Amino acid sequence: NIYRNILCCGCCGKVMHATYYQSRVKDERHYAYYCRSAYLIDERKCEKNYIREEQITAFVLEQLRNVLKEQQVKAKDLTKLNMEEYESKIAEYELEEKKIAEECQYMKKQAGIIYGQYKEGMINRAEYDVFKQNKKEQDYFAEKRLEEIRRKIRKAKSKAEEENKKATAVTTAAAKKVTKPKKVKITRA
């Protein structure tokens, strides 16, 4: 419920509380907001006691469309801003991915050096085995971190596409509302 602790009753000014009802046909939750002081206010009932989330969302979208229309914001502008935000997130993930790859390269070089020292007799078998075990664990965790980062990158890209579709839909709907309907003359025959 995205409007939790945001909505206030228009009659008494108190915070409205969320409740949900579950659809019997589809397994969906629908939220509604109600005023808890709808029962008594100075011995009278509060009038603004219930509103469905769908009604609020429709109102918010309409207000957003009006603001976009007034500011003359176009879908490509929103898409560009959206892409910049997601590209910065993706760049952060890719930087982390690069750091992990560098760590793995460093450990590979260290493994070569340690193996050489073991073969030359500079370190004993137990020390070499400890290093091998540590490297194996480090490789495992690095692989897990890489998988997680790649998943985040994929998710960010798909979310960016989804947000761009929404932005386009909102601005397109705003543009459609701006156009005035044509007048049609009706004559009787």
Side-chain angles (χ1 to χ4, degrees):
N1 50 8
I2 60 174
Y3 303 110
R4 193 174 125 223
N5 295 329
I6 296 175
L7 296 177
C8 294
C9 178
C11 185
C12 67
K14 293 190 177 180
V15 174
M16 296 185 78
H17 297 273
T19 186
Y20 71 89
Y21 51 96
Q22 190 114 4
S23 172
R24 290 184 185 190
V25 178
K26 297 178 183 174
D27 196 24
E28 297 176 347
R29 279 189 178 186
H30 300 279
Y31 286 92
Y33 297 86
Y34 69 98
C35 178
R36 284 191 179 164
S37 56
Y39 301 106
L40 288 176
I41 299 176
D42 298 334
E43 299 179 11
R44 62 180 160 73
K45 242 183 159 178
C46 179
E47 297 168 6
K48 310 279 185 189
N49 61 355
Y50 179 86
I51 188 166
R52 289 191 335 259
E53 189 174 63
E54 294 86 17
Q55 292 173 306
I56 299 166
T57 302
F59 176 76
V60 168
L61 284 174
E62 184 63 35
Q63 295 303 313
L64 180 60
R65 287 183 187 114
N66 290 338
V67 169
L68 292 174
K69 179 179 76 174
E70 288 172 10
Q71 299 295 322
Q72 298 177 346
V73 176
K74 299 199 175 9
K76 65 180 180 181
D77 298 334
L78 290 177
T79 302
K80 182 181 175 186
L81 289 172
N82 229 6
M83 288 308 294
E84 287 173 1
E85 180 182 339
Y86 282 104
E87 284 173 358
S88 70
K89 283 183 182 180
I90 290 169
E92 287 176 22
Y93 295 144
E94 288 173 344
L95 182 64
E96 189 175 347
E97 187 178 29
K98 184 179 175 184
K99 285 180 182 178
I100 293 170
E102 288 171 356
E103 288 175 14
C104 289
Q105 277 300 111
Y106 175 76
M107 285 301 286
K108 248 184 189 178
K109 288 179 185 177
Q110 286 298 105
I113 293 169
I114 296 293
Y115 181 73
Q117 290 175 349
Y118 169 67
K119 282 296 185 183
E120 292 174 3
M122 297 173 76
I123 61 170
N124 63 25
R125 176 72 182 199
E127 290 171 326
Y128 179 68
D129 288 341
V130 167
F131 175 79
K132 271 181 36 179
Q133 184 62 31
N134 288 342
K135 184 183 179 312
K136 187 176 181 181
E137 288 174 6
Q138 193 268 346
D139 288 345
Y140 173 78
F141 287 117
E143 187 59 38
K144 289 294 181 187
R145 284 174 40 206
L146 284 172
E147 287 174 13
E148 179 67 18
I149 290 168
R150 289 178 186 135
R151 186 190 63 76
K152 286 180 179 180
I153 290 171
R154 284 191 308 273
K155 187 175 180 180
K157 286 179 180 178
S158 68
K159 190 140 175 124
E161 290 174 9
E162 182 182 316
E163 292 288 326
N164 288 337
K165 285 179 185 177
K166 285 181 184 177
T168 304
V170 167
T171 54
T172 303
K176 285 180 183 175
K177 289 208 171 202
V178 172
T179 58
K180 295 179 181 176
K182 295 179 181 178
K183 291 183 179 179
V184 178
K185 289 185 180 181
I186 301 174
T187 57
R188 290 186 183 181

